[in-house]
Amino acid sequence: MNEAIKDEAERKQVTVLFADVSGSMDLAEQEDPEEWRAIMQRFFSTLADTVTRFEGTVDKFTGDGIMAVFGAPVAHEDHAQRACYAALQMLEDVAEYAGGLRRERGLNFSTRIGINSGEVVAGAIDGGGGSSYTAIGHTVGLAQRMEALAEPGKAYLTETTAELARGYLDLRDLGEFEIKGASRPVHVFELAGVGEARSRLDLARERGFSSFVGREAELARLDHALARAKEGEATAVGVVAEPGIGKSRLYLEFAQRCRAEGLEIFEAQAQAHGKSIPFMPILQMLRSFYGITDQDAEQLAREKIAGRSLLIDPVFAADLPLIFDFLGVPDPERPVPKMNPEGRGRALGDFLCRLVSNPARKKVLVLIVEDLHWIDEGSQMMLNGLVEGMEGTPTLVLVNYRPEYTPAWAESGVYEAIELQPLTPADTAQLLRDLAGEDPSLDGIDEPIHARTGGNPFFIEEIVRELAESGFLLGERGAYRLARPIEDAGVPVTVQAVLAARIDRLDHISKQLLQVASVVGKEMSVEALRLTARLGEVEIEEAIAQLIGSGFLYEAEIYPQRLLAFRHPLTREVAYGTQLASQREATHAAAARAMIELEPPDRHDELAALIADHLKQGGETLEAARWSARAAHWAGHSRPRDAMRLWHEVMELAGQLEENEETDALGIASRLAQIQFAWRVGMDLDEQAQLLREAEKIADRRGDLHSLVLLKMSTSARPGLQQHTDEWIQQVEEMNELADQAGDPHLQVAIRAAGAYAYLVAGDFDGYDRALDEMIGLTGGDIRVGSGIILNTPLAWAHMGKGMVRREQGDLEGAEPYFERALEISTEADDPETASWIRSNQAGLLAMRGDVEGALSIARRNCELTQRIGDVFSRSLAIANLAWAELAAEEFREALASIEEADKIYREAMKVGGEMEGWRSQIRAKALTGVGRVDEAIEEAEWAVKVSRERGLNWSLPIAQLALGQALHAGGREKEALGVLDEACCVAERTNALTCVAEIEAERDALASAAG
Ligand SMILES: Nc1ncnc2c1ncn2[C@@H]1O[C@H](COP(=O)(O)OP(=O)(O)O)[C@@H](O)[C@H]1O
Ligand SMILES: [Mg+2]
């Protein structure tokens, strides 16, 4: 078996109880040691028996007391209640024995109990002389402190236990106490007795029920069964479902309807710790049938019993002594003959049967027995007898239970089962509206909560409560608003307890397999599971069958491969959380190896991020860094945000490793890549500067010229720097030289491609064209040369650039084929980023050619496609080009909205306007003119002209001047307009921007004809 699942220790949610017999030290002196030992022995066995009775584990004897754990090794969903019930019982038993000792020997004994709940690590500890099971953790220490704090004869518990036991037990608030070893004061409670609540639903009632949703079909079936019972056709219905799905609530709603109709209903409830209290549910039922309360005096109770029984049929007179006795009100005048427990059980069962099936009974009887899976044997036998004998009477027996139980009468003709399903997504949404409210901030929580809880209403309620308690939701029940995203919210301890108890009922191997599965993923192939768990085929098939049968996993797919998935994400979280960190680590590493082994190499790129994550969690840092780098490469330029995140991860992982050639290389590559993504998606300037410094330091140490050139390029010659184009171009030329010195054609091409952009922005179209030609020459036509270093596909970019030169220089016809070719190359290279830029420019070209519809359609589609890439640079560009197309279509309002959006997203991410700010600004000016906001248009255009001039952005300068001319014209300032246009014309002629010149002339003509 896998070493990962050898250590049997687990993390568990438990309740720890300490009990000691106080004052024992000075008492020891008064007694003969032998006597003393016998007395203590008796105390210990009293305490230990009680622990066992409530299915706890005696962890150890402490010298003058015991430590007990409830909820380990086998989890109990009611561990806190069990511990409290046990404590009450201990106090009572000890008081009784101590009372005797006081009377008979004058000795004073009392016990103190301390209780606390929380996580422990439970498992075998080898102390040299063989191993023993024990629980370890802060939770244990705090329980002991509670014991030390408790007054003699009292049990104290912490707020954590109180939270779980509240309602079921009566607690007295003692306030907060400073406790040694606890970082903050602990709220302490005294255990005062048994509480009112018997079930979760009682608790829910106290808190106020959530409004009832769905379940129409189930209620209809119950109505139908009732109708049959009324006809004298006795019927038994069983509602079957996992805990929390709403079995009890369904009956509650149904019972209310019945009561409204005036029907009599008698209810009983089996309890988790109830197997040790025989006949409890039957007792409850009979008490409610006879209408007896705890306050009734014995005589009154007997009268009620006799009255009702005899009213049905005088023959029951003979049974009365037995019933009195059974219900705890024996008649001193008519004692019951001695019987063994079995005989007694039979006699009672027989009575019950006759009572129900008595032909004299005319009224419909509705009996509800809840949670049959917990019923004790005696009650079960009685119930079986009752159902067998009820035929032909107006009786409706309603029971419910969990899927692991099957009632004896499952095959009987009078019985029908209703498998209660989880809530539908719509029902969940409705329940959430009731619990959380309808604040807009809550939009979108329905789906994740439904997925996380699998539509289990109890889990939904608890999660909402937990979210409110831990500050994810603010406000009040039914009127919350979301304060932060809910993804990282924990699993409520109440839900954990239920799920852990279910998991612990599995076979050993199935349970371990479930834990392995929880590490592998929420979905996994059987093969991956087998390899990770290192189990044999037969073993694993058996375990899988059990896990599927008991609803933990389901077959998500059987072809082409068998995939298993968790039915319930919370189960996965709990199964994951119960494992020791060391064990999880080994399983993660094994899962990664299984994945690498099983998956065909051509899927490795796609799975690299997942494999890396397993490796990281498995503590294999170097492998994790390598696989993350692979994943980052793969995400590359089609998912820049993912790539950025993955490179960051590589950097962190490499940073944890010893310095060597490989880790240095990873350290540089990861930083360089992040810097490359900075101008695409934005990054804090300080963070960028730090990345540069760190990368430079490593590159210097390594003498890595290649990386140093790229780093220098990033500091001095990348887009988004607010420098003058003269300076930019000078830097680019230096970079080209450095790259040539390094002598790597990839680097030369990468640097030239990126640097060429400076000429375009400076309006030096010929320089741009030359740089591109030189670069194309260096690639030798190979699209891979220099790709992915700065730009994804330099060759595609070069063709686009040449198209732009044609477009700007008036050769609109000649531009198109370049764009077409560029698109082909980018498609071949699978490069959506460059494709986005090309389409942006194509839209502009069509706008210039007057094909307004074509321009709009390409621009819109481009926005849609670019959105998927997820970066800012391309998206801003695509939206700005849409604005351009909208201008051409004279959709000025739309154009204004688009350009403002484009500018906003750029500035928000980059904190500056970048090299395109003058260009975006002139579009905004034109749009403002279009919508008639002329003053603003003039101001905007003046600004566009100003920045373009100041920073040598000569590509946008004449266009901005044209925009200003148009705005002035619209404002009736023709003369000034003419002056600006003349200037624009000079600039455009100087840069040979002939398309622009033509536009300026057209505007001048318009102005002249308006004046003339
Ligand atoms: N249909 C429903 N609509 C609203 N709340 C529900 C519904 N069903 C169950 N609940 C709530 O979910 C919680 C668990 O239900 P419960 O009936 O106690 O589950 P079960 O008996 O199956 O363990 C209760 O608080 C109950 O009020
Ligand atoms: Mg229930």
Side-chain angles (χ1 to χ4, degrees):
M1 197 182 282
N2 180 3
E3 70 241 44
I5 53 182
K6 245 194 228 149
D7 190 345
E8 304 285 326
E10 285 185 290
R11 290 173 176 275
K12 300 207 100 124
Q13 290 287 335
V14 300
T15 298
V16 181
L17 178 152
F18 276 88
D20 74 353
V21 180
S22 67
S24 50
M25 267 318 175
D26 34 301
L27 288 168
E29 284 174 10
Q30 302 172 16
E31 281 294 312
D32 175 70
E34 218 171 291
E35 291 276 331
W36 169 249
R37 187 170 175 277
I39 291 172
M40 286 313 278
Q41 193 74 53
R42 171 81 186 273
F43 274 121
F44 288 163
S45 63
T46 304
L47 299 177
D49 286 350
T50 309
V51 171
T52 315
R53 189 173 145 200
F54 288 95
E55 295 183 84
T57 309
V58 176
D59 186 288
K60 60 166 115 14
F61 289 97
T62 57
D64 55 2
I66 60 165
M67 168 184 160
V69 177
F70 295 82
V74 175
H76 289 301
E77 63 189 68
D78 56 347
H79 54 85
Q81 286 140 263
R82 283 171 191 261
C84 293
Y85 290 133
L88 288 172
Q89 185 74 52
M90 285 173 182
L91 291 176
E92 199 179 308
D93 292 349
V94 168
E96 195 180 305
Y97 180 48
L101 289 173
R102 189 164 41 246
R103 281 192 305 278
E104 286 151 29
R105 305 204 198 174
L107 295 175
N108 270 319
F109 277 100
S110 66
T111 185
R112 301 180 299 176
I113 297 176
I115 303 174
N116 180 34
S117 306
E119 193 177 65
V120 296
V121 173
I125 290 251
D126 192 345
S131 65
S132 63
Y133 190 88
T134 191
I136 292 173
H138 182 63
T139 303
V140 178
L142 200 52
Q144 198 164 17
R145 293 269 146 78
M146 286 300 109
E147 179 208 57
L149 192 69
E151 281 179 33
K154 304 257 152 97
Y156 282 10
L157 42 104
T158 61
E159 58 205 4
T160 334
T161 307
E163 186 55 37
L164 290 165
R166 185 169 284 138
Y168 296 102
L169 287 132
D170 191 7
L171 305 178
R172 202 157 71 82
D173 191 341
L174 301 179
E176 291 197 332
F177 285 76
E178 290 287 345
I179 304 285
K180 214 173 103 201
S183 56
R184 53 185 185 83
V186 178
H187 207 138
V188 179
F189 296 81
E190 183 195 324
L191 187 57
V194 175
E196 294 285 312
R198 287 282 169 276
S199 70
R200 213 164 28 229
L201 214 58
D202 293 338
L203 281 189
R205 178 180 297 120
E206 235 167 82
R207 291 189 186 125
F209 280 131
S210 39
S211 72
F212 187 66
V213 302
R215 307 303 190 210
E216 289 86 7
E218 289 81 2
L219 283 171
R221 283 178 72 177
L222 293 175
D223 281 338
H224 199 69
L226 178 63
R228 282 206 303 275
K230 284 179 180 164
E231 298 292 308
E233 201 182 314
T235 303
V237 179
V239 171
V240 194
E242 296 297 345
I245 294 290
K247 302 182 290 294
S248 306
R249 183 67 191 269
L250 177 66
Y251 280 165
L252 181 98
E253 297 295 321
F254 182 67
Q256 276 172 359
R257 292 188 181 194
C258 293
R259 288 202 181 93
E261 244 185 76
L263 294 177
E264 270 189 310
I265 298 187
F266 305 106
E267 288 169 279
Q269 160 91 52
Q271 274 173 297
H273 52 275
K275 283 213 167 128
S276 45
I277 312 169
F279 301 120
M280 198 171 61
I282 300 289
L283 279 168
Q284 279 175 8
M285 192 141 68
L286 283 174
R287 281 215 180 89
S288 86
F289 178 75
Y290 289 117
I292 314 172
T293 69
D294 288 348
Q295 283 77 43
D296 288 348
E298 293 200 0
Q299 182 58 33
L300 177 62
R302 281 196 294 272
E303 279 166 22
K304 284 182 175 173
I305 297 168
R308 176 129 209 206
S309 304
L310 300 178
L311 204 61
I312 296 174
D313 195 330
V315 305
F316 291 124
D319 299 288
L320 289 177
L322 181 71
I323 308 308
F324 291 156
D325 190 60
F326 184 62
L327 290 175
V329 288
D331 185 350
E333 276 155 36
R334 298 166 68 190
V336 192
K338 269 239 172 293
M339 272 192 256
N340 64 14
E342 253 175 58
R344 225 168 104 93
R346 247 196 318 275
L348 275 167
D350 173 61
F351 165 75
L352 206 63
C353 218
R354 281 184 291 120
L355 188 70
V356 169
S357 59
N358 192 291
R361 179 172 68 80
K362 291 282 179 292
K363 258 179 143 178
V364 182
L365 196 60
V366 181
L367 302 176
I368 300 182
V369 187
E370 294 224 52
D371 294 328
L372 282 200
H373 47 275
W374 282 326
I375 201 166
D376 64 289
E377 243 172 82
S379 304
Q380 168 143 326
M381 267 176 38
M382 283 190 204
L383 196 62
N384 293 350
L386 187 151
V387 172
E388 270 167 36
M390 71 186 186
E391 210 174 319
T393 66
T395 313
L396 177 60
V397 173
L398 301 177
V399 300
N400 62 34
Y401 51 87
R402 299 180 181 175
E404 63 263 20
Y405 176 88
T406 315
W409 63 85
E411 302 299 324
S412 152
V414 300
Y415 178 71
E416 86 176 275
I418 298 179
E419 286 186 18
L420 197 61
Q421 300 300 319
L423 298 182
T424 61
D427 292 341
T428 298
Q430 198 187 331
L431 181 56
L432 279 172
R433 270 197 300 282
D434 178 61
L435 293 171
E438 303 189 34
D439 191 83
S441 64
L442 300 172
D443 286 355
I445 68 163
D446 295 0
E447 214 175 297
I449 290 188
H450 184 80
R452 200 140 176 261
T453 57
N456 181 313
F458 170 59
F459 295 173
I460 296 169
E461 290 177 340
E462 291 299 299
I463 281 195
V464 170
R465 242 157 52 82
E466 173 85 11
L467 290 173
E469 271 165 27
S470 44
F472 288 88
L473 294 176
L474 299 179
E476 280 177 22
R477 182 173 154 157
Y480 290 120
R481 69 202 146 71
L482 192 64
R484 54 200 158 103
I486 58 170
E487 284 101 61
D488 47 339
V491 184
V493 282
T494 43
V495 174
Q496 252 180 61
V498 170
L499 291 174
R502 277 196 66 207
I503 293 173
D504 276 359
R505 278 199 300 276
L506 290 167
D507 284 353
H508 189 62
I509 294 195
S510 305
K511 175 175 159 184
Q512 288 185 329
L513 191 67
L514 188 73
Q515 291 179 329
V516 170
S518 74
V519 173
V520 177
K522 62 174 192 279
E523 207 176 84
M524 74 231 77
S525 71
V526 172
E527 270 304 280
L529 198 55
R530 196 174 60 74
L531 268 184
T532 311
R534 308 251 176 98
L535 290 171
E537 300 243 358
V538 181
E539 268 177 316
I540 200 168
E541 281 309 328
E542 276 176 15
I544 289 175
Q546 197 194 6
L547 291 173
I548 292 177
S550 44
F552 286 99
L553 301 180
Y554 67 97
E555 272 173 337
E557 197 179 293
I558 33 181
Y559 188 82
Q561 58 170 344
R562 220 168 127 218
L563 282 187
L564 299 174
F566 274 84
R567 192 170 283 288
H568 211 301
L570 285 172
T571 333
R572 179 177 172 220
E573 286 174 49
V574 172
Y576 190 85
T578 55
Q579 301 169 63
L580 298 188
S582 56
Q583 180 183 332
R584 267 198 309 246
E585 206 173 284
T587 310
H588 271 299
R593 280 191 296 272
M595 216 176 265
I596 297 170
E597 193 174 319
L598 280 175
E599 296 291 343
D602 64 354
R603 284 202 66 209
H604 282 180
D605 277 341
E606 170 191 341
L607 291 170
L610 192 59
I611 292 172
D613 193 49
H614 276 309
L615 288 165
K616 179 183 161 193
Q617 312 254 32
E620 299 195 6
T621 312
L622 176 60
E623 279 298 315
R626 288 174 179 156
W627 282 90
S628 293
R630 184 166 177 172
H633 265 301
W634 193 69
H637 297 270
S638 55
R639 285 177 292 127
R641 279 182 198 279
D642 286 346
M644 176 83 116
R645 181 178 54 73
L646 287 160
W647 282 121
H648 189 84
E649 179 82 16
V650 174
M651 176 178 82
E652 304 252 289
L653 290 166
Q656 292 165 24
L657 293 161
E658 208 173 293
E659 263 173 32
N660 60 35
E661 195 172 332
E662 183 178 8
T663 56
D664 277 348
L666 286 169
I668 296 177
S670 58
R671 287 177 176 84
L672 259 174
Q674 289 179 74
I675 293 163
Q676 287 311 334
F677 285 111
W679 60 263
R680 293 177 160 101
V681 301
M683 187 192 273
D684 190 76
L685 293 177
D686 291 342
E687 195 181 341
Q688 280 187 55
Q690 185 177 344
L691 288 176
L692 278 167
R693 273 197 308 277
E694 291 167 356
E696 236 158 36
K697 206 169 121 201
I698 310 174
D700 267 339
R701 187 170 73 218
R702 284 274 149 209
D704 175 356
L705 186 60
H706 184 285
S707 300
L708 284 171
V709 175
L710 285 169
L711 284 166
K712 209 158 172 348
M713 181 85 186
S714 307
T715 32
S716 62
R718 63 169 171 78
L721 296 174
Q722 300 293 94
Q723 59 193 351
H724 194 281
T725 49
D726 288 348
E727 196 184 326
W728 188 0
I729 288 176
Q730 194 195 333
Q731 301 283 3
V732 164
E733 281 166 2
E734 275 176 33
M735 288 306 118
N736 288 346
E737 250 169 66
L738 274 178
D740 292 346
Q741 278 168 27
D744 173 0
H746 287 287
L747 186 66
Q748 287 173 289
V749 168
I751 294 282
R752 274 197 175 66
Y757 186 42
Y759 298 97
L760 171 69
V761 176
D764 180 356
F765 302 116
D766 294 333
Y768 186 39
D769 208 31
R770 260 198 319 278
L772 295 174
D773 279 336
E774 200 177 284
M775 193 217 93
I776 293 175
L778 282 166
T779 65
D782 184 341
I783 63 168
R784 285 164 312 184
V785 177
S787 77
I789 300 174
I790 300 175
L791 301 178
N792 208 17
T793 321
L795 200 59
W797 152 259
H799 282 78
M800 177 193 83
K802 291 180 70 66
M804 289 176 79
V805 172
R806 307 281 159 313
R807 184 186 76 184
E808 298 302 314
Q809 294 189 332
D811 179 9
L812 301 184
E813 296 278 311
E816 186 60 38
Y818 278 108
F819 288 153
E820 290 298 334
R821 178 73 194 122
L823 259 185
E824 273 168 32
I825 301 171
S826 67
T827 308
E828 191 187 330
D830 202 1
D831 170 9
E833 181 182 66
T834 312
S836 159
W837 303 343
I838 299 166
R839 280 190 303 265
S840 277
N841 282 306
Q842 261 184 325
L845 175 65
L846 292 178
M848 283 174 165
R849 295 174 75 173
D851 178 357
V852 175
E853 283 311 314
L856 277 173
S857 123
I858 287 200
R860 286 198 188 113
R861 182 164 159 65
N862 192 38
C863 285
E864 203 183 300
L865 291 170
T866 306
Q867 179 88 24
R868 290 184 209 157
I869 306 176
D871 76 333
V872 172
F873 183 86
S874 307
R875 195 159 144 241
S876 169
L877 189 69
I879 301 175
N881 275 284
L882 173 63
W884 184 0
E886 285 163 341
L887 271 186
E890 302 189 351
E891 296 175 0
F892 299 115
R893 250 197 317 217
E894 288 80 357
L896 187 59
S898 298
I899 198 63
E900 286 179 351
E901 165 79 4
D903 196 59
K904 178 166 154 248
I905 61 174
Y906 189 96
R907 283 179 196 278
E908 271 175 6
M910 314 291 177
K911 312 289 180 269
V912 293
E915 70 288 343
M916 295 294 283
E917 64 185 340
W919 185 76
R920 285 196 303 269
S921 171
Q922 60 83 21
I923 291 187
R924 178 159 187 266
K926 286 177 182 161
L928 283 168
T929 306
V931 298
R933 286 157 59 180
V934 177
D935 290 344
E936 289 167 80
I938 295 171
E939 198 181 324
E940 181 76 41
E942 278 171 344
W943 186 83
V945 170
K946 180 165 165 281
V947 283
S948 299
R949 182 174 284 135
E950 278 174 5
R951 290 193 16 224
L953 308 173
N954 290 334
W955 179 24
S956 53
L957 179 59
I959 315 179
Q961 288 168 322
L962 171 59
L964 180 58
Q966 287 168 337
L968 290 168
H969 179 181
R973 291 153 65 177
E974 282 86 0
K975 230 177 112 211
E976 287 163 85
L978 214 50
V980 172
L981 290 175
D982 287 343
E983 223 180 305
C985 208
C986 287
V987 177
E989 274 167 358
R990 200 167 59 235
T991 61
N992 206 20
L994 297 180
T995 309
C996 187
V997 171
E999 283 181 36
I1000 296 165
E1001 272 165 4
E1003 177 61 27
R1004 273 207 294 216
D1005 290 349
L1007 201 59
S1009 63

